[in-house]
Amino acid sequence: MLDLTQDVRTLTAAIVDIESVSGDERALAEAVEQALAVLPYLKVDRSGETLVARTELGRAERVLIAGHLDTVPVAGNLPSRVEGDLLFGCGTSDMKAGVAVALKLAATVPAPNRDVTYVFYDCEEIEAERNGLTRVAREHPEWLAADFAVLMEPTDGVIEGGCQGTLRAEITVAGKRAHSARSWLGVNAIHGIEPVLARLNAYEARQPVVDGLAYHEGLNAVGVRGGVAGNVIPDECVVTVNYRFAPDLSIEQAQAHVREVFDGFEVRFTDGAPAARPGLTHPVAAAFTAAVGGTPRAKLGWTDVARFSTLGVPAVNYGPGDPNLAHQQGEYVSLTKIVESERALLDWLTK
Amino acid sequence: MLDLTQDVRTLTAAIVDIESVSGDERALAEAVEQALAVLPYLKVDRSGETLVARTELGRAERVLIAGHLDTVPVAGNLPSRVEGDLLFGCGTSDMKAGVAVALKLAATVPAPNRDVTYVFYDCEEIEAERNGLTRVAREHPEWLAADFAVLMEPTDGVIEGGCQGTLRAEITVAGKRAHSARSWLGVNAIHGIEPVLARLNAYEARQPVVDGLAYHEGLNAVGVRGGVAGNVIPDECVVTVNYRFAPDLSIEQAQAHVREVFDGFEVRFTDGAPAARPGLTHPVAAAFTAAVGGTPRAKLGWTDVARFSTLGVPAVNYGPGDPNLAHQQGEYVSLTKIVESERALLDWLTK
């Protein structure tokens, strides 16, 4: 069982040392559940390997603090080890340091100034369908009700507001097959994508300011395929594009934009995930930004904050880990930053 | 054993009915060898499943008549069957009708007006390295010495002179990987092929007249590949182009042309086969064209005539089959055209 009375730094190491690669989080989920179960002021629910623990004090506001329990596959980087101020090991930065901070808050703040919902979930590092937050949002959306959410993704201790959305589309150009020795009898579909690439090269990405944060969009080819055989004029060529869009657009608006850019071509959307607004304009966020300090910035990559946004809960990314180290063999976290993060959130929930 | 005294039409059917898919020609090769062995005026050599039979009369000229024994895979189209003037079955057109004509000539013309070399070879329908003609040209080039060669590929009874050459090259554009959420940190290699496609679209193919025949070149993309993952700016994109070139260019000149077209890009040649001049300017060809009649035309696709050309032997394609039926399940040959072809070659070798 996890001892939540220990220092947040040693607690982080203890959590890191319980292996929890995506799909194999049970041992850690059980340890977390047992540690939370002894805290009488928390109501604990469980769905699979996801735990949701709530204070029920009837406060005017409810905030949600979430962290995922899983990690990418271990790469010879367990057990954890300390070198100076750094704790090395799989999941240290992404995001067991954040999980440790949340557990410390749960254990040490029985009567927070706002009701708190702690969420510890599984399968964040793999396909969305297995993501514990996806499942809980579908089966128990009331567990996630809140006025504001903090997702403890590694952000180097800086608030990163919202996230950009993402969608992928296939632009298909048709042609007509022919033997390449008599190419004039065919229509070359690969040659036909020239205007698609010309539009991508001429594209000027927006850099809109949304709720005070500067985003930066991008529309890019991420794949191209065409060709039947070395002696055949190809009858189809497909360019896959990825549009990363700022949170002032819904996914439907983003799709309409892509259709417009490739007007005259066959466009088929293959997947997509909505953006999330930064949420920093919400009154409850003011106290949070004051407690954390620093200058919030826009989150450009997609994260689970968008799932909260979809539920109507403004959400930000904030965690002690370094985002550049996520998924790397040499992953580590600064012990000082873990302590700073714990202190900032304590201030937020108690002052 | 094949009875070479029977009519060329029934002989064709008999040859078609001995299955000989590429790599499995032994039964047919043995039957052909036995039929040739009883003809005392022929010297017969064998290499694998390839047979070379020659008259040795000391004539002023030597001509070569070649046909491949193999077929593409049988597609429920054996045994052969006759419907009116048409003989249906695998290999009827490509090119057992031609093989039958050559065998009839071998059996009925003991003292031709020019020395004749008959070549029956294996593995034409598959990779060049297994082609019997490739092997004999390497191991016994003297067997193929001649002043002029006729390859009995299906041409609908019309002389098709020489063949265009072919080469393939990969045009590679490099970029720099980045996460697609921060695409401006990378360089998109797929976007980078736009000028490659622009040059292909602007390309004007030559239609040169060589030795009196009109050729028609082509430079085309036959493949394109690029893309790492749906969220990564790709760092490489490769366009595979196929250049079909007329026989006034050597393969080296053709490569130089492709390098020039894609000047500034990385060009890597992956394979190629030289063109063959039509050979119709050679004096020995005059008697052949007179015997066959009709208006010779240029061969645009690549055929084994180029192998003769490489050995310094001018060569043409000429056979009774219909080239449009080659490799099709419903393949057939006109019985009348087989007889016409036999008669034309008999005239050529006896008058």
Side-chain angles (χ1 to χ4, degrees):
Chain A
M1 183 169 141
L2 289 168
D3 172 10
L4 300 190
T5 66
Q6 64 190 316
D7 181 274
V8 71
R9 293 166 289 197
T10 51
L11 177 61
T12 300
I15 294 171
V16 169
D17 290 340
I18 302 176
E19 251 191 62
S20 58
V21 176
S22 307
D24 198 21
E25 299 94 336
R26 176 150 300 176
L28 180 55
E30 307 260 305
V32 169
E33 185 177 30
Q34 286 165 27
L36 294 172
V38 300
L39 304 173
Y41 48 90
L42 290 180
K43 177 177 187 323
V44 180
D45 288 302
R46 179 165 176 167
S47 161
E49 311 306 338
T50 292
L51 296 155
V52 179
R54 280 169 293 177
T55 62
E56 297 192 306
L57 302 164
R59 303 291 195 228
E61 290 175 345
R62 175 174 292 278
V63 296
L64 187 148
I65 299 174
H68 61 81
L69 298 175
D70 61 320
T71 69
V72 294
V74 180
N77 48 1
L78 282 185
S80 63
R81 63 187 166 82
V82 175
E83 271 187 35
D85 182 52
L86 306 180
L87 175 69
F88 286 83
C90 182
T92 45
S93 167
D94 184 12
M95 53 188 286
K96 290 183 169 178
V99 168
V101 168
L103 284 171
K104 280 299 287 183
L105 294 171
T108 53
V109 190
N113 51 14
R114 359 181 109 80
D115 271 311
V116 184
T117 303
Y118 300 97
V119 178
F120 304 97
Y121 64 104
D122 59 320
C123 292
E124 190 270 348
E125 299 289 6
I126 52 175
E127 62 270 27
E129 195 37 51
R130 294 179 61 189
N131 185 307
L133 210 53
T134 308
R135 187 179 62 249
V136 169
R138 186 173 56 224
E139 297 175 2
H140 308 283
E142 70 283 4
W143 292 1
L144 303 179
D147 298 296
F148 182 68
V150 177
L151 180 61
M152 300 206 69
E153 284 284 350
T155 66
D156 225 1
V158 174
I159 298 171
E160 292 193 335
C163 73
Q164 294 199 135
T166 179
L167 68 78
R168 267 171 283 272
E170 292 185 346
I171 319 297
T172 300
V173 172
K176 187 182 157 211
R177 282 193 201 192
H179 195 291
S180 65
R182 294 171 200 80
S183 53
W184 52 93
L185 299 179
V187 177
N188 195 314
I190 296 176
H191 296 192
I193 67 167
E194 185 197 341
V196 173
L197 301 183
R199 292 185 200 184
L200 286 166
N201 278 319
Y203 187 78
E204 294 193 18
R206 292 193 315 142
Q207 299 188 40
V209 173
V210 182
D211 295 352
L213 300 186
Y215 288 84
H216 193 156
E217 298 194 336
L219 177 61
N220 272 275
V222 290
V224 63
R225 62 175 193 275
V228 176
N231 60 355
V232 176
I233 301 304
D235 58 350
E236 185 176 276
C237 189
V238 180
V239 181
T240 303
V241 299
N242 181 210
Y243 180 35
R244 298 282 174 154
F245 54 95
D248 57 344
L249 295 186
S250 68
I251 197 161
E252 293 74 19
Q253 290 171 316
Q255 289 178 340
H257 176 66
V258 170
R259 278 194 201 286
E260 193 182 332
V261 169
F262 297 108
D263 186 39
F265 289 94
E266 183 190 329
V267 177
R268 191 173 71 85
F269 296 102
T270 55
D271 67 347
R277 293 189 75 102
L280 296 174
T281 50
H282 194 281
V284 72
F288 178 72
T289 54
V292 168
T295 305
R297 60 188 178 210
K299 185 75 176 179
L300 301 178
W302 195 89
T303 78
D304 272 336
V305 296
R307 300 191 196 283
F308 294 111
S309 201
T310 301
L311 293 172
V313 182
V316 299
N317 304 277
Y318 165 78
D322 180 337
N324 298 320
L325 300 172
H327 305 186
Q328 297 197 13
Q329 199 271 341
E331 181 178 357
Y332 62 78
V333 66
S334 154
L335 295 169
T336 302
K337 293 227 169 184
I338 305 176
V339 172
E340 286 172 1
S341 179
E342 179 192 25
R343 204 166 294 156
L345 292 182
L346 260 176
D347 280 357
W348 179 44
L349 296 179
T350 56
K351 283 192 179 162
Chain B
M1 182 170 140
L2 288 168
D3 172 11
L4 300 190
T5 66
Q6 65 190 315
D7 182 273
V8 70
R9 292 166 290 196
T10 51
L11 177 60
T12 300
I15 294 171
V16 169
D17 290 340
I18 301 175
E19 252 191 62
S20 57
V21 176
S22 307
D24 198 19
E25 299 94 338
R26 177 150 299 176
L28 180 54
E30 306 260 307
V32 169
E33 185 178 30
Q34 286 165 25
L36 293 172
V38 299
L39 303 173
Y41 47 90
L42 290 180
K43 178 178 188 319
V44 180
D45 287 302
R46 179 165 175 167
S47 160
E49 310 306 337
T50 291
L51 296 156
V52 179
R54 281 169 291 177
T55 63
E56 298 194 305
L57 302 164
R59 304 288 196 229
E61 290 175 342
R62 173 174 292 280
V63 296
L64 187 150
I65 299 174
H68 61 79
L69 297 175
D70 62 319
T71 69
V72 293
V74 180
N77 49 0
L78 282 186
S80 62
R81 64 188 165 83
V82 175
E83 271 186 36
D85 182 52
L86 306 179
L87 175 70
F88 285 83
C90 182
T92 44
S93 168
D94 186 9
M95 54 189 285
K96 289 183 170 179
V99 168
V101 167
L103 284 171
K104 279 299 287 183
L105 295 171
T108 54
V109 190
N113 52 14
R114 353 179 114 79
D115 270 311
V116 184
T117 302
Y118 300 98
V119 178
F120 303 97
Y121 65 104
D122 59 318
C123 291
E124 191 270 349
E125 299 289 6
I126 53 175
E127 62 269 28
E129 195 36 51
R130 294 177 63 189
N131 185 307
L133 210 54
T134 308
R135 187 179 62 250
V136 169
R138 187 173 56 224
E139 296 175 4
H140 307 283
E142 71 282 5
W143 293 0
L144 304 179
D147 298 296
F148 182 68
V150 177
L151 181 61
M152 300 206 69
E153 284 283 350
T155 65
D156 225 2
V158 175
I159 298 172
E160 292 193 336
C163 73
Q164 292 199 136
T166 178
L167 67 79
R168 267 171 283 272
E170 292 186 347
I171 319 297
T172 301
V173 172
K176 188 182 157 208
R177 282 193 201 193
H179 195 290
S180 65
R182 294 171 199 80
S183 52
W184 52 93
L185 300 178
V187 177
N188 195 314
I190 296 176
H191 297 192
I193 66 166
E194 185 197 343
V196 173
L197 300 182
R199 292 185 201 184
L200 285 167
N201 279 319
Y203 187 77
E204 295 194 19
R206 293 194 314 143
Q207 300 188 38
V209 173
V210 183
D211 295 352
L213 300 187
Y215 288 85
H216 193 155
E217 298 193 335
L219 177 61
N220 272 275
V222 290
V224 63
R225 62 175 194 274
V228 176
N231 59 355
V232 176
I233 300 303
D235 58 350
E236 185 176 274
C237 189
V238 179
V239 181
T240 303
V241 299
N242 181 211
Y243 180 34
R244 298 282 174 153
F245 53 96
D248 58 343
L249 295 186
S250 69
I251 198 161
E252 293 75 19
Q253 290 171 316
Q255 288 178 341
H257 177 65
V258 170
R259 278 195 201 286
E260 193 182 331
V261 169
F262 298 107
D263 186 39
F265 289 94
E266 184 191 329
V267 176
R268 192 173 71 86
F269 296 102
T270 55
D271 68 345
R277 294 188 76 100
L280 296 174
T281 50
H282 194 280
V284 71
F288 179 71
T289 53
V292 168
T295 305
R297 60 188 179 211
K299 185 74 176 179
L300 300 179
W302 194 90
T303 77
D304 272 335
V305 296
R307 301 192 196 283
F308 293 112
S309 202
T310 301
L311 293 171
V313 182
V316 298
N317 304 276
Y318 166 78
D322 180 338
N324 298 320
L325 301 171
H327 305 187
Q328 297 197 10
Q329 199 270 341
E331 181 178 358
Y332 61 77
V333 66
S334 155
L335 294 169
T336 302
K337 293 226 170 185
I338 306 177
V339 172
E340 286 172 1
S341 179
E342 179 192 24
R343 203 165 294 156
L345 292 182
L346 258 177
D347 280 357
W348 179 45
L349 296 179
T350 56
K351 284 193 177 160

